[in-house]
Amino acid sequence: MTDGNDFTKPEPRNPSREPRVPHQPVLLREALEFLSVRPDGVYVDATLGAGGHAAAILDVLERGRGRLLGIDRDPTALAQASARLSGWHEKVMTMQGNFAEIDALHAASGLPPADGMLADLGLSSMQLGDASRGFSFSLPGPLDMRMDPQSETTAEAIVNHTPERELADLIYQLGEERHSRRIAREIVKARPIRSTTELAQVVTRAIPSRAGLYNLHPATRTFMALRLAVNRELENLESFLSKALSVLAPGGRLVTISFHSLEDRPIKQAFQSWKREGRASILTKHVVRPNEDEVRTNPRARSAKLRAAEKRGLGAGD
Ligand SMILES: C[S@@+](CC[C@H](N)C(=O)[O-])C[C@H]1O[C@@H](n2cnc3c(N)ncnc32)[C@H](O)[C@@H]1O
């Protein structure tokens, strides 16, 4: 599945691999190791999704002592995860919200500062595999792409109402698509465009046929750019990073899993500046990648990058 989370690591086009299976948590063992989950600790999963990482954390938490706050922007994902985690109801609290406001969400939970927080970015397999959400170019659906259905902007609004030049810039910057100008021109000619498959056809038409030789659907980067724009994903990530340390207790850990370089870059930079300022230490000298076995059983993992940092402890002069 290449149309959802990333485009950096192409996989062969094969619609039969579109996810109809439940979401499998990526880098699960590694995330748990870096979070160093304690049975009496307080944890925040800022991107609850299907609740896969959260379930593994809850497994370690002791009843009556450990607590987990699970957050997601998407009310459908939140409802599914809440149902899945209901067996642990005395240890878990779920909240709909945008992790850009992580400090306010954490404060509203009434929980003490967290011993660990996870942000597993991007889309879940459920979101990508649900044609009605419009995230996938290979499933016919409306051009929506909103993680939170209350947000104002849809992909359809961007595709049909953005001036050509601005659209080309958006596709270039957020999709790193070198054919962005041709694509924007074709889109403007074909307006109005209402469905995912219509847009995928227009983009395919715009791209020179030689470009199809590489192992990536021609619409991958354009869909990626639109999804990032609709959900303001990079802006939200910046805001999350500016607030994340304030949610953690001294010695608390932040673990991030990202799926493309536009997400990984600000994380790496934030970690480096925290280190320079003496606010946190970096636990992952080199980025952590999934092993071959994981990529074989879960192709979505193939471009995942895990990074972890630890907030400076009280003993270090706080
Ligand atoms: C990759 S999935 C998480 C999967 C989860 N770790 C699991 O194991 O099931 C990412 C989730 O983050 C949510 N999300 C993305 N951006 C968000 C944001 N700014 N605030 C809150 N949730 C967000 C998406 O709706 C999606 O459900």
Side-chain angles (χ1 to χ4, degrees):
M1 124 192 136
T2 50
D3 46 346
N5 263 345
D6 66 82
F7 44 68
T8 51
K9 285 281 171 72
E11 71 170 300
R13 286 186 237 167
N14 180 357
S16 67
R17 285 172 82 176
E18 281 297 323
R20 299 287 187 284
V21 291
H23 182 90
Q24 290 179 54
V26 169
L27 289 164
L28 180 61
R29 183 179 51 78
E30 295 83 349
L32 257 80
E33 254 170 50
F34 279 104
L35 283 171
S36 181
V37 181
R38 291 200 329 255
D40 61 346
V42 172
Y43 295 88
V44 178
D45 185 341
T47 52
L48 194 57
H53 287 99
I57 295 170
L58 283 161
D59 238 354
V60 181
L61 298 184
E62 202 175 293
R63 209 164 143 187
R65 297 178 72 207
R67 300 294 303 273
L68 177 103
L69 168 64
I71 296 166
D72 205 292
R73 270 186 99 169
D74 180 343
T76 308
L78 195 75
Q80 286 170 348
S82 302
R84 173 177 182 184
L85 305 177
S86 60
W88 285 292
H89 63 272
E90 65 297 285
K91 297 190 271 191
V92 65
M93 180 189 293
T94 58
M95 252 185 211
Q96 193 200 341
N98 185 336
F99 61 50
E101 306 300 334
I102 192 66
D103 50 350
L105 293 166
H106 176 259
S109 75
L111 288 173
D115 299 297
M117 176 155 68
L118 174 70
D120 173 21
L121 301 170
L123 289 179
S124 71
S125 304
M126 286 116 56
Q127 290 167 320
L128 189 55
D130 179 348
S132 72
R133 306 296 298 269
F135 288 113
S136 171
F137 51 71
S138 48
L139 299 175
L143 272 177
D144 190 316
M145 300 197 194
R146 289 172 300 175
M147 289 181 185
D148 175 357
Q150 300 295 321
S151 351
E152 271 178 28
T153 312
T154 61
E156 183 175 323
I158 296 180
V159 163
N160 290 309
H161 301 296
T162 309
E164 181 178 327
R165 201 167 171 159
E166 220 178 286
L167 190 58
D169 288 348
L170 185 154
I171 295 170
Y172 181 72
Q173 282 158 13
L174 297 180
E176 299 182 318
E177 168 62 73
R178 62 198 182 95
H179 301 295
S180 58
R181 306 236 161 263
R182 286 167 181 250
I183 293 171
R185 202 177 316 131
E186 282 298 320
I187 287 177
V188 169
K189 269 201 265 166
R191 283 171 177 176
I193 301 172
R194 303 284 180 217
S195 73
T196 48
T197 37
E198 238 182 302
L199 177 62
Q201 280 163 13
V202 172
V203 175
T204 306
R205 239 184 6 245
I207 289 189
S209 54
R210 261 179 305 116
L213 291 176
Y214 66 112
N215 216 354
L216 200 60
H217 189 289
T220 304
R221 292 168 189 270
T222 302
F223 270 63
M224 175 79 195
L226 288 170
R227 193 201 95 202
L228 288 178
V230 166
N231 296 292
R232 301 179 57 79
E233 289 181 48
L234 300 181
E235 294 89 335
N236 290 331
L237 178 60
E238 288 286 358
S239 172
F240 172 77
L241 290 167
S242 74
K243 296 166 176 171
L245 286 185
S246 72
V247 168
L248 294 176
R253 292 177 167 198
L254 172 65
V255 174
T256 61
I257 303 175
S258 65
F259 292 85
H260 54 83
S261 56
L262 292 176
E263 280 172 344
D264 184 52
R265 208 169 299 140
I267 296 171
K268 188 175 166 188
Q269 284 168 356
F271 281 23
Q272 282 167 346
S273 70
W274 295 344
K275 183 179 170 198
R276 262 196 318 276
E277 293 156 11
R279 300 171 69 204
S281 51
I282 300 175
L283 304 176
T284 43
K285 191 167 167 218
H286 301 290
V287 87
V288 177
R289 309 293 312 263
N291 61 31
E292 280 176 21
D293 276 354
E294 178 168 5
V295 174
R296 201 173 314 116
T297 54
N298 185 11
R300 184 181 168 274
R302 72 196 174 283
S303 44
K305 288 183 179 163
L306 182 148
R307 294 186 188 272
E310 183 177 295
K311 180 168 168 171
R312 190 171 64 158
L314 283 173
D318 263 337

